[in-house]
Amino acid sequence: MSEIRSELKYASSHEWARLEEDGTVTIGISDHAQEALGDVVYVELPEVGTDLALGEEAGVVESVKAASDIYAPISGAVVAVNEALEAAPETVNSNPYDDGWFYRLKPSDPSELDRLLDADAYRGEAEEG
């Protein structure tokens, strides 16, 4: 079974979001999503400074099996991207919640986090899907 961390919020599209102490939100894909994709070989991330709307395509993750869009689970401005993924995209497979994060947003509406799934609700969706 995939690891689903209780301190994170999740989107139905399998992105996770973590509110940081400085008010930014770190975004990545869930352990369930990386397992479904298989070996990640490429990650396309948004540009720093890009304003993303809730649900907007933010990038692409490609594996040996498939390519999948990454969506913004909340709206906001991109303030950082994980440049280490350019050289080591497989980090998404080995450590999706820590070193394998994709980008950070300064949320335009922090209350959007409250609309995301908690760990139990996401676990239910992941098991059904």
mmCIF file of all heavy atoms in Angstrom, residues 20-57:
data_model
loop_
_atom_site.group_PDB
_atom_site.id
_atom_site.type_symbol
_atom_site.label_atom_id
_atom_site.label_comp_id
_atom_site.label_asym_id
_atom_site.label_seq_id
_atom_site.Cartn_x
_atom_site.Cartn_y
_atom_site.Cartn_z
ATOM 1 N N GLU A 20 3.754 25.438 4.560
ATOM 2 C CA GLU A 20 5.039 25.646 5.235
ATOM 3 C C GLU A 20 4.900 26.764 6.265
ATOM 4 O O GLU A 20 3.954 27.549 6.230
ATOM 5 C CB GLU A 20 6.123 25.997 4.206
ATOM 6 C CG GLU A 20 6.292 24.971 3.096
ATOM 7 C CD GLU A 20 6.800 23.607 3.556
ATOM 8 O OE1 GLU A 20 7.261 23.490 4.711
ATOM 9 O OE2 GLU A 20 6.718 22.662 2.760
ATOM 10 N N GLU A 21 5.877 26.856 7.170
ATOM 11 C CA GLU A 21 5.833 27.868 8.232
ATOM 12 C C GLU A 21 5.823 29.294 7.692
ATOM 13 O O GLU A 21 5.270 30.191 8.320
ATOM 14 C CB GLU A 21 7.004 27.677 9.195
ATOM 15 C CG GLU A 21 6.857 26.450 10.063
ATOM 16 C CD GLU A 21 7.972 26.304 11.084
ATOM 17 O OE1 GLU A 21 8.697 27.290 11.342
ATOM 18 O OE2 GLU A 21 8.112 25.196 11.625
ATOM 19 N N ASP A 22 6.425 29.503 6.512
ATOM 20 C CA ASP A 22 6.478 30.860 5.943
ATOM 21 C C ASP A 22 5.219 31.216 5.143
ATOM 22 O O ASP A 22 5.142 32.281 4.542
ATOM 23 C CB ASP A 22 7.726 31.035 5.065
ATOM 24 C CG ASP A 22 7.720 30.145 3.838
ATOM 25 O OD1 ASP A 22 6.748 29.376 3.612
ATOM 26 O OD2 ASP A 22 8.709 30.208 3.068
ATOM 27 N N GLY A 23 4.227 30.328 5.149
ATOM 28 C CA GLY A 23 2.978 30.606 4.447
ATOM 29 C C GLY A 23 2.946 30.107 3.009
ATOM 30 O O GLY A 23 1.898 30.163 2.370
ATOM 31 N N THR A 24 4.088 29.638 2.493
ATOM 32 C CA THR A 24 4.077 29.068 1.151
ATOM 33 C C THR A 24 3.534 27.645 1.228
ATOM 34 O O THR A 24 3.412 27.072 2.306
ATOM 35 C CB THR A 24 5.485 29.056 0.508
ATOM 36 O OG1 THR A 24 6.348 28.231 1.297
ATOM 37 C CG2 THR A 24 6.054 30.464 0.382
ATOM 38 N N VAL A 25 3.208 27.092 0.071
ATOM 39 C CA VAL A 25 2.677 25.736 -0.002
ATOM 40 C C VAL A 25 3.539 24.935 -0.972
ATOM 41 O O VAL A 25 3.738 25.342 -2.122
ATOM 42 C CB VAL A 25 1.208 25.741 -0.466
ATOM 43 C CG1 VAL A 25 0.690 24.316 -0.632
ATOM 44 C CG2 VAL A 25 0.339 26.509 0.531
ATOM 45 N N THR A 26 4.080 23.832 -0.491
ATOM 46 C CA THR A 26 4.888 22.935 -1.314
ATOM 47 C C THR A 26 3.962 21.910 -1.959
ATOM 48 O O THR A 26 3.062 21.382 -1.310
ATOM 49 C CB THR A 26 5.960 22.239 -0.461
ATOM 50 O OG1 THR A 26 6.777 23.247 0.154
ATOM 51 C CG2 THR A 26 6.839 21.323 -1.306
ATOM 52 N N ILE A 27 4.214 21.636 -3.261
ATOM 53 C CA ILE A 27 3.372 20.749 -4.054
ATOM 54 C C ILE A 27 4.223 19.608 -4.625
ATOM 55 O O ILE A 27 5.344 19.826 -5.084
ATOM 56 C CB ILE A 27 2.744 21.498 -5.254
ATOM 57 C CG1 ILE A 27 2.107 22.827 -4.849
ATOM 58 C CG2 ILE A 27 1.788 20.584 -6.024
ATOM 59 C CD1 ILE A 27 0.899 22.750 -3.998
ATOM 60 N N GLY A 28 3.662 18.416 -4.628
ATOM 61 C CA GLY A 28 4.294 17.266 -5.273
ATOM 62 C C GLY A 28 3.226 16.275 -5.677
ATOM 63 O O GLY A 28 2.035 16.584 -5.607
ATOM 64 N N ILE A 29 3.638 15.082 -6.111
ATOM 65 C CA ILE A 29 2.655 14.043 -6.388
ATOM 66 C C ILE A 29 2.754 12.956 -5.324
ATOM 67 O O ILE A 29 3.812 12.742 -4.744
ATOM 68 C CB ILE A 29 2.784 13.426 -7.806
ATOM 69 C CG1 ILE A 29 4.116 12.722 -8.015
ATOM 70 C CG2 ILE A 29 2.491 14.480 -8.867
ATOM 71 C CD1 ILE A 29 4.186 11.871 -9.289
ATOM 72 N N SER A 30 1.651 12.300 -5.091
ATOM 73 C CA SER A 30 1.582 11.312 -4.014
ATOM 74 C C SER A 30 2.382 10.057 -4.345
ATOM 75 O O SER A 30 2.712 9.776 -5.498
ATOM 76 C CB SER A 30 0.124 10.939 -3.751
ATOM 77 O OG SER A 30 -0.387 10.184 -4.834
ATOM 78 N N ASP A 31 2.656 9.314 -3.304
ATOM 79 C CA ASP A 31 3.326 8.029 -3.448
ATOM 80 C C ASP A 31 2.491 7.111 -4.349
ATOM 81 O O ASP A 31 3.016 6.408 -5.208
ATOM 82 C CB ASP A 31 3.527 7.420 -2.059
ATOM 83 C CG ASP A 31 4.437 6.205 -2.060
ATOM 84 O OD1 ASP A 31 5.429 6.190 -2.819
ATOM 85 O OD2 ASP A 31 4.171 5.267 -1.292
ATOM 86 N N HIS A 32 1.178 7.152 -4.182
ATOM 87 C CA HIS A 32 0.270 6.370 -5.024
ATOM 88 C C HIS A 32 0.459 6.732 -6.503
ATOM 89 O O HIS A 32 0.540 5.855 -7.363
ATOM 90 C CB HIS A 32 -1.173 6.616 -4.588
ATOM 91 C CG HIS A 32 -2.191 5.948 -5.451
ATOM 92 N ND1 HIS A 32 -2.470 4.606 -5.360
ATOM 93 C CD2 HIS A 32 -2.982 6.444 -6.434
ATOM 94 C CE1 HIS A 32 -3.406 4.296 -6.249
ATOM 95 N NE2 HIS A 32 -3.727 5.390 -6.907
ATOM 96 N N ALA A 33 0.554 8.031 -6.795
ATOM 97 C CA ALA A 33 0.706 8.491 -8.182
ATOM 98 C C ALA A 33 2.042 8.048 -8.772
ATOM 99 O O ALA A 33 2.095 7.580 -9.916
ATOM 100 C CB ALA A 33 0.579 10.010 -8.254
ATOM 101 N N GLN A 34 3.128 8.175 -7.998
ATOM 102 C CA GLN A 34 4.430 7.785 -8.554
ATOM 103 C C GLN A 34 4.488 6.274 -8.778
ATOM 104 O O GLN A 34 5.097 5.820 -9.734
ATOM 105 C CB GLN A 34 5.603 8.314 -7.721
ATOM 106 C CG GLN A 34 5.834 7.690 -6.370
ATOM 107 C CD GLN A 34 6.520 6.329 -6.388
ATOM 108 O OE1 GLN A 34 7.180 5.952 -7.344
ATOM 109 N NE2 GLN A 34 6.336 5.582 -5.316
ATOM 110 N N GLU A 35 3.825 5.499 -7.906
ATOM 111 C CA GLU A 35 3.783 4.038 -8.112
ATOM 112 C C GLU A 35 3.030 3.694 -9.393
ATOM 113 O O GLU A 35 3.437 2.808 -10.139
ATOM 114 C CB GLU A 35 3.104 3.349 -6.920
ATOM 115 C CG GLU A 35 3.992 3.213 -5.711
ATOM 116 C CD GLU A 35 3.279 2.540 -4.535
ATOM 117 O OE1 GLU A 35 2.088 2.192 -4.649
ATOM 118 O OE2 GLU A 35 3.944 2.372 -3.498
ATOM 119 N N ALA A 36 1.919 4.393 -9.633
ATOM 120 C CA ALA A 36 1.123 4.134 -10.836
ATOM 121 C C ALA A 36 1.891 4.505 -12.105
ATOM 122 O O ALA A 36 1.774 3.824 -13.130
ATOM 123 C CB ALA A 36 -0.197 4.909 -10.771
ATOM 124 N N LEU A 37 2.688 5.568 -12.024
ATOM 125 C CA LEU A 37 3.458 6.014 -13.190
ATOM 126 C C LEU A 37 4.609 5.068 -13.517
ATOM 127 O O LEU A 37 4.940 4.869 -14.675
ATOM 128 C CB LEU A 37 4.035 7.409 -12.948
ATOM 129 C CG LEU A 37 3.090 8.577 -13.170
ATOM 130 C CD1 LEU A 37 3.702 9.847 -12.598
ATOM 131 C CD2 LEU A 37 2.783 8.744 -14.650
ATOM 132 N N GLY A 38 5.239 4.529 -12.500
ATOM 133 C CA GLY A 38 6.445 3.736 -12.722
ATOM 134 C C GLY A 38 7.670 4.637 -12.690
ATOM 135 O O GLY A 38 7.638 5.732 -12.128
ATOM 136 N N ASP A 39 8.754 4.192 -13.310
ATOM 137 C CA ASP A 39 10.029 4.908 -13.231
ATOM 138 C C ASP A 39 9.950 6.272 -13.912
ATOM 139 O O ASP A 39 9.806 6.365 -15.130
ATOM 140 C CB ASP A 39 11.146 4.085 -13.872
ATOM 141 C CG ASP A 39 11.425 2.797 -13.106
ATOM 142 O OD1 ASP A 39 11.154 2.762 -11.900
ATOM 143 O OD2 ASP A 39 11.910 1.840 -13.726
ATOM 144 N N VAL A 40 10.057 7.339 -13.101
ATOM 145 C CA VAL A 40 10.002 8.709 -13.625
ATOM 146 C C VAL A 40 11.321 9.038 -14.316
ATOM 147 O O VAL A 40 12.397 8.841 -13.756
ATOM 148 C CB VAL A 40 9.688 9.716 -12.503
ATOM 149 C CG1 VAL A 40 9.787 11.146 -13.008
ATOM 150 C CG2 VAL A 40 8.297 9.438 -11.919
ATOM 151 N N VAL A 41 11.217 9.546 -15.556
ATOM 152 C CA VAL A 41 12.409 9.862 -16.347
ATOM 153 C C VAL A 41 12.532 11.354 -16.667
ATOM 154 O O VAL A 41 13.582 11.817 -17.105
ATOM 155 C CB VAL A 41 12.451 9.044 -17.656
ATOM 156 C CG1 VAL A 41 12.598 7.561 -17.356
ATOM 157 C CG2 VAL A 41 11.218 9.292 -18.519
ATOM 158 N N TYR A 42 11.453 12.125 -16.453
ATOM 159 C CA TYR A 42 11.489 13.549 -16.789
ATOM 160 C C TYR A 42 10.379 14.264 -16.034
ATOM 161 O O TYR A 42 9.271 13.735 -15.901
ATOM 162 C CB TYR A 42 11.284 13.744 -18.293
ATOM 163 C CG TYR A 42 11.196 15.179 -18.733
ATOM 164 C CD1 TYR A 42 12.332 15.988 -18.792
ATOM 165 C CD2 TYR A 42 9.974 15.743 -19.081
ATOM 166 C CE1 TYR A 42 12.239 17.314 -19.203
ATOM 167 C CE2 TYR A 42 9.873 17.069 -19.484
ATOM 168 C CZ TYR A 42 11.005 17.842 -19.529
ATOM 169 O OH TYR A 42 10.917 19.154 -19.929
ATOM 170 N N VAL A 43 10.694 15.467 -15.556
ATOM 171 C CA VAL A 43 9.694 16.310 -14.907
ATOM 172 C C VAL A 43 9.801 17.710 -15.504
ATOM 173 O O VAL A 43 10.883 18.291 -15.563
ATOM 174 C CB VAL A 43 9.910 16.375 -13.374
ATOM 175 C CG1 VAL A 43 8.891 17.303 -12.731
ATOM 176 C CG2 VAL A 43 9.829 14.995 -12.755
ATOM 177 N N GLU A 44 8.669 18.227 -15.983
ATOM 178 C CA GLU A 44 8.603 19.608 -16.475
ATOM 179 C C GLU A 44 7.887 20.426 -15.412
ATOM 180 O O GLU A 44 6.748 20.128 -15.048
ATOM 181 C CB GLU A 44 7.818 19.657 -17.787
ATOM 182 C CG GLU A 44 7.682 21.056 -18.360
ATOM 183 C CD GLU A 44 6.832 21.050 -19.619
ATOM 184 O OE1 GLU A 44 7.144 20.266 -20.537
ATOM 185 O OE2 GLU A 44 5.854 21.816 -19.670
ATOM 186 N N LEU A 45 8.560 21.447 -14.896
ATOM 187 C CA LEU A 45 8.033 22.252 -13.802
ATOM 188 C C LEU A 45 7.629 23.632 -14.294
ATOM 189 O O LEU A 45 8.134 24.108 -15.318
ATOM 190 C CB LEU A 45 9.097 22.382 -12.708
ATOM 191 C CG LEU A 45 9.551 21.051 -12.094
ATOM 192 C CD1 LEU A 45 10.744 21.265 -11.188
ATOM 193 C CD2 LEU A 45 8.406 20.391 -11.353
ATOM 194 N N PRO A 46 6.742 24.307 -13.563
ATOM 195 C CA PRO A 46 6.366 25.670 -13.954
ATOM 196 C C PRO A 46 7.527 26.635 -13.727
ATOM 197 O O PRO A 46 8.450 26.339 -12.970
ATOM 198 C CB PRO A 46 5.188 25.984 -13.028
ATOM 199 C CG PRO A 46 5.428 25.140 -11.815
ATOM 200 C CD PRO A 46 6.087 23.882 -12.331
ATOM 201 N N GLU A 47 7.475 27.768 -14.387
ATOM 202 C CA GLU A 47 8.482 28.815 -14.204
ATOM 203 C C GLU A 47 8.202 29.585 -12.915
ATOM 204 O O GLU A 47 7.040 29.846 -12.585
ATOM 205 C CB GLU A 47 8.436 29.810 -15.376
ATOM 206 C CG GLU A 47 8.745 29.205 -16.721
ATOM 207 C CD GLU A 47 10.233 29.049 -16.962
ATOM 208 O OE1 GLU A 47 11.002 29.883 -16.473
ATOM 209 O OE2 GLU A 47 10.603 28.074 -17.634
ATOM 210 N N VAL A 48 9.265 29.956 -12.201
ATOM 211 C CA VAL A 48 9.110 30.830 -11.036
ATOM 212 C C VAL A 48 8.473 32.130 -11.514
ATOM 213 O O VAL A 48 8.842 32.673 -12.555
ATOM 214 C CB VAL A 48 10.472 31.087 -10.348
ATOM 215 C CG1 VAL A 48 10.349 32.161 -9.283
ATOM 216 C CG2 VAL A 48 11.007 29.799 -9.747
ATOM 217 N N GLY A 49 7.494 32.609 -10.770
ATOM 218 C CA GLY A 49 6.781 33.829 -11.133
ATOM 219 C C GLY A 49 5.460 33.568 -11.832
ATOM 220 O O GLY A 49 4.639 34.482 -11.974
ATOM 221 N N THR A 50 5.223 32.341 -12.273
ATOM 222 C CA THR A 50 3.979 31.994 -12.943
ATOM 223 C C THR A 50 2.823 32.013 -11.951
ATOM 224 O O THR A 50 2.934 31.504 -10.843
ATOM 225 C CB THR A 50 4.069 30.569 -13.553
ATOM 226 O OG1 THR A 50 5.152 30.532 -14.467
ATOM 227 C CG2 THR A 50 2.785 30.181 -14.261
ATOM 228 N N ASP A 51 1.711 32.629 -12.359
ATOM 229 C CA ASP A 51 0.495 32.581 -11.549
ATOM 230 C C ASP A 51 -0.340 31.404 -12.028
ATOM 231 O O ASP A 51 -0.670 31.316 -13.214
ATOM 232 C CB ASP A 51 -0.312 33.879 -11.696
ATOM 233 C CG ASP A 51 0.316 35.033 -10.935
ATOM 234 O OD1 ASP A 51 0.791 34.810 -9.806
ATOM 235 O OD2 ASP A 51 0.338 36.150 -11.477
ATOM 236 N N LEU A 52 -0.659 30.514 -11.111
ATOM 237 C CA LEU A 52 -1.458 29.332 -11.437
ATOM 238 C C LEU A 52 -2.834 29.437 -10.797
ATOM 239 O O LEU A 52 -2.954 29.825 -9.636
ATOM 240 C CB LEU A 52 -0.769 28.060 -10.923
ATOM 241 C CG LEU A 52 0.567 27.701 -11.568
ATOM 242 C CD1 LEU A 52 1.221 26.551 -10.814
ATOM 243 C CD2 LEU A 52 0.361 27.332 -13.033
ATOM 244 N N ALA A 53 -3.849 29.085 -11.564
ATOM 245 C CA ALA A 53 -5.207 29.030 -11.038
ATOM 246 C C ALA A 53 -5.476 27.625 -10.521
ATOM 247 O O ALA A 53 -4.864 26.650 -10.982
ATOM 248 C CB ALA A 53 -6.204 29.385 -12.138
ATOM 249 N N LEU A 54 -6.368 27.502 -9.590
ATOM 250 C CA LEU A 54 -6.779 26.212 -9.056
ATOM 251 C C LEU A 54 -7.163 25.284 -10.207
ATOM 252 O O LEU A 54 -7.962 25.645 -11.072
ATOM 253 C CB LEU A 54 -7.973 26.408 -8.117
ATOM 254 C CG LEU A 54 -8.672 25.157 -7.601
ATOM 255 C CD1 LEU A 54 -7.748 24.384 -6.679
ATOM 256 C CD2 LEU A 54 -9.945 25.531 -6.874
ATOM 257 N N GLY A 55 -6.534 24.114 -10.259
ATOM 258 C CA GLY A 55 -6.844 23.134 -11.296
ATOM 259 C C GLY A 55 -6.113 23.316 -12.603
ATOM 260 O O GLY A 55 -6.225 22.481 -13.502
ATOM 261 N N GLU A 56 -5.350 24.389 -12.725
ATOM 262 C CA GLU A 56 -4.613 24.647 -13.968
ATOM 263 C C GLU A 56 -3.414 23.705 -14.099
ATOM 264 O O GLU A 56 -2.795 23.335 -13.105
ATOM 265 C CB GLU A 56 -4.124 26.098 -13.967
ATOM 266 C CG GLU A 56 -3.416 26.517 -15.228
ATOM 267 C CD GLU A 56 -2.988 27.987 -15.207
ATOM 268 O OE1 GLU A 56 -3.335 28.712 -14.252
ATOM 269 O OE2 GLU A 56 -2.304 28.387 -16.153
ATOM 270 N N GLU A 57 -3.093 23.341 -15.334
ATOM 271 C CA GLU A 57 -1.923 22.502 -15.570
ATOM 272 C C GLU A 57 -0.672 23.269 -15.165
ATOM 273 O O GLU A 57 -0.453 24.405 -15.571
ATOM 274 C CB GLU A 57 -1.839 22.116 -17.043
ATOM 275 C CG GLU A 57 -0.721 21.150 -17.336
ATOM 276 C CD GLU A 57 -0.629 20.777 -18.807
ATOM 277 O OE1 GLU A 57 -1.674 20.511 -19.415
ATOM 278 O OE2 GLU A 57 0.491 20.777 -19.315
#
